[in-house]
Amino acid sequence: MKRIVTGAVLVVLLVLSAAAGTAQAASCGNCYARGYINTGSSYGGGYVQMAIRQLTTPDWPNPVQGHINQTIWVTTDNTTRFSLNPYWAEIGYTYGYHGTLSSDSTGMTYYWARWNPVNGYADFSLGRIDAIGTIHEFEVQQVFNGEYDVYLDSVNVGSDVNGGNWTLEVDTGLEYTDTAGTIQQTNFDFHQTRSTACCAWSFWSTGATQNDFPVFTWVWTTLWNHANNH
Amino acid sequence: MPKILLACGAFAVGGLLAFGLGGGVLAGPPLPPPPPGPAHPHRTPSPVEQDHATGGPFLSVDRAAQAALAVGTGVGVLASTQLQTVQQATAVLGFRAANNYVGDDREVWLVLVDGPYKPGFGFAGPARQFDRYWVVLDATTGQILGTGSRP
């Protein structure tokens, strides 16, 4: 850990926005600011620790049903986001859930979601969120052929069945539907991927970023273990 | 014998101190999880942690239908509205109808709708739009537990 923290800065990628802080509300469908790993190797799953921060977006009410969420995604058919129709599973926390806010004062809730062609699309609210500033564990891993279990703080909260075998891409970051959404700086710590042979986990050692729009800025420092999303 | 008693007394005092310290820790801000190791421990929610059957009162069928129709992205038509347990709804859907903190015996509304539906969350690929969908609502609280669309 100390080695990682004090290690040389391997990747510093700044995606700066001239419009930062002056963003006008504009729908952008499902947009992303995320770090991804896509090395061509297959994995058994992905893991990350994320701090809970206040998220907001103006477009959450019906009929738009917008949202903004922090998430870990994994593909579940050994493909990448560049595939025509990748299967995937994700777990994170969201502000806005099908036109509603949670009863928590933050309006946020944990959730998980999946897509595969057999069971289709689904998302599930956990109906709860922890305090702002607390750090939590988010994880997806394949446990049987085509079954991916999702975990919050090591607790299995759901199962995505009828996926394919293995994960070729693991992403962590932000999904949002309006460029006027807001987020406080969020730390993504201790990213790990799992070997396909169950169940050894290891830290990510490299990666890159994707920003659909320059509203949200990513700063990557000290490997992948400590990433900040501004 | 006195040594044994002394040891027991020290153990008891130590335990009280530890309990006190533990209480102090619990009263403070929660500690972050430790850095993960090469193996990850997992568990499922215990029955005590789960929400279970309440026996009512329940959200009315009209309110359940209204909430489900609001999930759609256009005008929808109710295909069915059923008050079931999570276990029964799971059998209908073919996969678990709620997250694992909701027990199999919890009462839910399973509402099936013919109408436009847009997935809330995505990863990549083309934006999808479906022409039918399902919604599971907690029959006691009215909270949406899950939504989706089967191919």
Side-chain angles (χ1 to χ4, degrees), chain A residues 121-141:
Chain A
Y121 170 84
D123 54 50
F124 299 93
S125 169
L126 271 63
R128 54 185 281 263
I129 189 73
D130 285 294
I132 300 290
T134 57
I135 299 172
H136 299 275
E137 301 174 288
F138 300 83
E139 178 181 335
V140 186
Q141 70 164 346

Side-chain angles (χ1 to χ4, degrees), chain A residues 99-124:
Chain A
T100 65
L101 296 181
S102 78
S103 58
D104 186 84
S105 60
T106 65
M108 302 191 298
T109 180
Y110 293 117
Y111 78 97
W112 78 274
R114 65 108 204 282
W115 159 258
N116 70 61
V118 176
N119 288 335
Y121 170 84
D123 54 50
F124 299 93

Side-chain angles (χ1 to χ4, degrees), chain A residues 67 73 85 127 139 156 192 201, chain B residues 38 40 42-43 120 122 128 143:
Chain A
H67 61 90
W73 297 265
N85 188 22
E139 178 181 335
N156 176 4
Q192 285 189 323
W201 292 82
Chain B
H40 291 185
H42 296 118
R43 68 180 183 87
R128 292 186 174 86
Q143 179 189 7

Side-chain angles (χ1 to χ4, degrees), chain B residues 3-52:
Chain B
K3 282 183 179 176
I4 293 173
L5 288 174
L6 187 62
C8 289
F11 182 77
V13 170
L16 286 172
L17 282 173
F19 182 82
L21 287 174
V25 169
L26 288 175
L31 296 173
H40 291 185
H42 296 118
R43 68 180 183 87
T44 55
S46 69
V48 174
E49 295 174 300
Q50 292 180 314
D51 295 328
H52 293 288

